[in-house]
Structure formats: C-alpha cells, structure tokens
Amino acid sequence: MEYTIKKIANLSGVSARTLRFYDEIDLLKPAKVNSSGYRIYGQQEVNRLQQILFYRELDMKLEEIKEILDNPDFNVEQALMEHQEKLLAKRREIDRLLASVQQTMHYYKGEIDMTDQEKFTAFKEQKIAENESTYGEEIREKYGKETVERSNQKYLNLTEEQMQEMTKTETQLFEKIEMYLQQPEIESDLAKEVYELHKKWLSFTWPTYSAEAHKGLGMMYVADERFTAYYDDKHAGAAQALNDAIQYHAK
C-alpha cells in the first residue's frame, strides 16, 4: 500500500512538516515523488518510520537513529527485542516511583511509618537503573559484577545528609575543573584538588578505593564518548582535564 505524506501523517501521528524534515536530513526518504511532486511512501518507509518512533520514545537523537537504521547489519527483530527490554526497564522505573508515591500517601495519612531514607529509595533506584542501562555492561566488564553490586548497595544506603554532601562535592569538582581549564598546570595544587574532590565523590559509592581503579575510570572518561559528554557538557575539555589530574595525582 502506498501513502501520500498527508495520509502517512494521519496514520502515524507525525506531522507532515516533521516528515518533510526527515526527508531533508535523509532519515526517512519517500519511496518516490510522483509527477505532481507529491512524496509517496511504501511499506518499507512505514516500517522505518515505526522504528524511528520507537527510538524517539527512548529519547535518542535523530543522527543516532539514522546511524543505527542505515547500518547494513541492522536487524529488525533484534531491534524490537532491544526496544522491548528498554521499555520494560522504563516501566520498572515508573512502577518504582508509583510505589513510592503510594507509600508516601499512606505515610501522610498516618497509616504507616516511613524513615527519611525510605523517602528517597525510589529516586536512588531509578538513578541506578539509568546508570545500569547506559553503562552497566562496560563497568561490569571492567570492575566485575560483585564490585558493581556492592557500589549500588552503598549508594542505596546513603543518608539524606550524605546525598547532599555527594551533590555538593560534585558541584565543587566542576568549579575546580573550570578553574583548572583556565590554568592547566598538572603539578599545581589546583590539579590535585580536582583529583581529591573526584576521589571524595567516588567514596560515596565505591566500597573501597584503589588508585589503579581510579586511573582506569579516568581513562574511560576520555575513551567512551558517553562518559566524555557527561563532563564536557558542563565545560569543554573537562573530561580530559579530569583524567589528566587523576593519572598524575592518583598514587
């Protein structure tokens, strides 16, 4: 079956303007353009649009989606399995938050007791789930399953005060990195402060500290674009600066 841009827009819920944009960036080209100049979409384009929408629901960027779909090794069945797992993970996150909301409602009605730590458990679990989804495979391969599980448990056990201190430490870390980037002298006290603050930040979740593991993590910050982006989105060059400080000062 063939569809005009208007019909496929009505079918999919994607606006005609968006479909034209997808055509312009080569994300979704029509099967053909008829003699009247209308874009015509076939079954293959319908299937590709469905995949695009699946990935968009996972908050992926359009250029990333295009790269995946244009890969000659792209497998629809495998992609659907991955979609399913990620959506199930998202549902588990929502279920955790719903359970926390319901528990809190009972608490405010005076029906149950609730510790301060329990009030933040769902948010911590959600953060762990997000990290597992993004970095789980890599960190398990590098540090081992047991170490990662112990780290997650330590994070879950943090008190409200410790959580606040952890956030404060990371804020200070970024402030020092910004200062260091203006005067990048690796032997300076400022570079050592960057290292010490990052070590302190790790201490909130790492079961034990190891300079070797710290250096390995620093290398991951510059080798893996996802880690790099976390720091460079704050300050350009931050990931490299942090790794330099770690490699030099971790003993």
Side-chain angles (χ1 to χ4, degrees), residues 211-226:
E212 182 180 355
H214 197 175
K215 289 182 177 181
L217 183 62
M219 292 299 295
M220 286 181 69
Y221 286 167
V222 293
D224 190 312
E225 61 183 14
R226 295 167 301 173

Side-chain angles (χ1 to χ4, degrees), residues 58-100:
L58 297 172
D59 296 322
M60 290 187 65
K61 296 179 180 179
L62 295 180
E63 54 267 28
E64 294 175 332
I65 298 174
K66 183 177 184 302
E67 183 177 348
I68 291 171
L69 297 182
D70 288 346
N71 189 321
D73 295 326
F74 176 73
N75 183 293
V76 174
E77 291 184 10
Q78 180 64 33
L80 288 172
M81 290 176 62
E82 292 174 358
H83 289 320
Q84 176 179 260
E85 182 52 42
K86 289 178 180 179
L87 289 171
L88 286 172
K90 183 180 288 188
R91 185 171 72 181
R92 288 192 291 270
E93 291 175 15
I94 293 173
D95 287 342
R96 279 193 293 269
L97 288 174
L98 282 172
S100 181

Side-chain angles (χ1 to χ4, degrees), residues 18-30 39 41 45 48 52 62-63 65-71:
T18 297
L19 291 170
R20 285 192 288 270
F21 176 66
Y22 286 174
D23 183 5
E24 291 173 9
I25 64 174
D26 296 329
L27 177 60
L28 180 67
K29 305 291 291 184
R39 294 174 173 85
Y41 298 83
E45 290 69 42
R48 184 176 172 98
I52 291 170
L62 295 180
E63 54 267 28
I65 298 174
K66 183 177 184 302
E67 183 177 348
I68 291 171
L69 297 182
D70 288 346
N71 189 321

Side-chain angles (χ1 to χ4, degrees), residues 26-53:
D26 296 329
L27 177 60
L28 180 67
K29 305 291 291 184
K32 61 184 178 182
V33 177
N34 66 18
S35 57
S36 301
Y38 290 104
R39 294 174 173 85
I40 303 298
Y41 298 83
Q43 191 60 57
Q44 185 175 344
E45 290 69 42
V46 169
N47 293 342
R48 184 176 172 98
L49 179 57
Q50 184 191 37
Q51 291 295 325
I52 291 170
L53 295 182

Side-chain angles (χ1 to χ4, degrees), residues 96-123:
R96 279 193 293 269
L97 288 174
L98 282 172
S100 181
V101 168
Q102 291 167 354
Q103 186 179 21
T104 305
M105 288 173 62
H106 290 309
Y107 166 73
Y108 279 104
K109 289 179 179 179
E111 297 171 352
I112 63 170
D113 291 327
M114 192 175 187
T115 67
D116 288 340
Q117 187 165 334
E118 287 174 333
K119 294 174 185 176
F120 298 95
T121 297
F123 300 105

Side-chain angles (χ1 to χ4, degrees), residues 32-247:
K32 61 184 178 182
V33 177
N34 66 18
S35 57
S36 301
Y38 290 104
R39 294 174 173 85
I40 303 298
Y41 298 83
Q43 191 60 57
Q44 185 175 344
E45 290 69 42
V46 169
N47 293 342
R48 184 176 172 98
L49 179 57
Q50 184 191 37
Q51 291 295 325
I52 291 170
L53 295 182
F54 277 140
Y55 284 116
R56 289 297 288 156
E57 282 296 318
L58 297 172
D59 296 322
M60 290 187 65
K61 296 179 180 179
L62 295 180
E63 54 267 28
E64 294 175 332
I65 298 174
K66 183 177 184 302
E67 183 177 348
I68 291 171
L69 297 182
D70 288 346
N71 189 321
D73 295 326
F74 176 73
N75 183 293
V76 174
E77 291 184 10
Q78 180 64 33
L80 288 172
M81 290 176 62
E82 292 174 358
H83 289 320
Q84 176 179 260
E85 182 52 42
K86 289 178 180 179
L87 289 171
L88 286 172
K90 183 180 288 188
R91 185 171 72 181
R92 288 192 291 270
E93 291 175 15
I94 293 173
D95 287 342
R96 279 193 293 269
L97 288 174
L98 282 172
S100 181
V101 168
Q102 291 167 354
Q103 186 179 21
T104 305
M105 288 173 62
H106 290 309
Y107 166 73
Y108 279 104
K109 289 179 179 179
E111 297 171 352
I112 63 170
D113 291 327
M114 192 175 187
T115 67
D116 288 340
Q117 187 165 334
E118 287 174 333
K119 294 174 185 176
F120 298 95
T121 297
F123 300 105
K124 293 177 184 177
E125 289 177 341
Q126 183 177 3
K127 182 66 175 177
I128 288 174
E130 291 172 357
N131 288 338
E132 287 285 352
S133 176
T134 307
Y135 311 115
E137 183 176 344
E138 290 84 354
I139 60 177
R140 273 174 167 72
E141 182 177 340
K142 190 170 185 63
Y143 300 109
K145 180 180 178 180
E146 182 180 351
T147 300
V148 174
E149 295 297 336
R150 288 171 61 199
S151 177
N152 288 342
Q153 190 58 51
K154 186 173 181 179
Y155 177 69
L156 286 173
N157 291 335
L158 292 178
T159 64
E160 182 180 359
E161 291 76 15
Q162 289 171 325
M163 288 289 295
Q164 291 174 351
E165 183 64 22
M166 184 179 182
T167 301
K168 179 182 176 182
T169 300
E170 186 176 41
T171 299
Q172 292 173 336
L173 171 64
F174 278 113
E175 290 173 352
K176 294 297 182 180
I177 290 176
E178 183 180 17
M179 294 170 61
Y180 174 79
L181 286 168
Q182 296 171 14
Q183 293 182 312
E185 298 176 7
I186 196 60
E187 297 181 1
S188 66
D189 291 339
L190 184 56
K192 188 172 183 180
E193 280 188 83
V194 169
Y195 156 72
E196 292 288 356
L197 281 167
H198 192 257
K199 178 182 177 182
K200 179 181 178 182
W201 181 72
L202 290 176
S203 72
F204 289 99
T205 56
W206 276 22
T208 56
Y209 177 78
S210 159
E212 182 180 355
H214 197 175
K215 289 182 177 181
L217 183 62
M219 292 299 295
M220 286 181 69
Y221 286 167
V222 293
D224 190 312
E225 61 183 14
R226 295 167 301 173
F227 286 94
T228 303
Y230 180 79
Y231 288 95
D232 283 11
D233 283 350
K234 306 289 193 307
H235 307 293
Q240 184 63 59
L242 176 56
N243 179 53
D244 290 345
I246 294 169
Q247 299 304 322

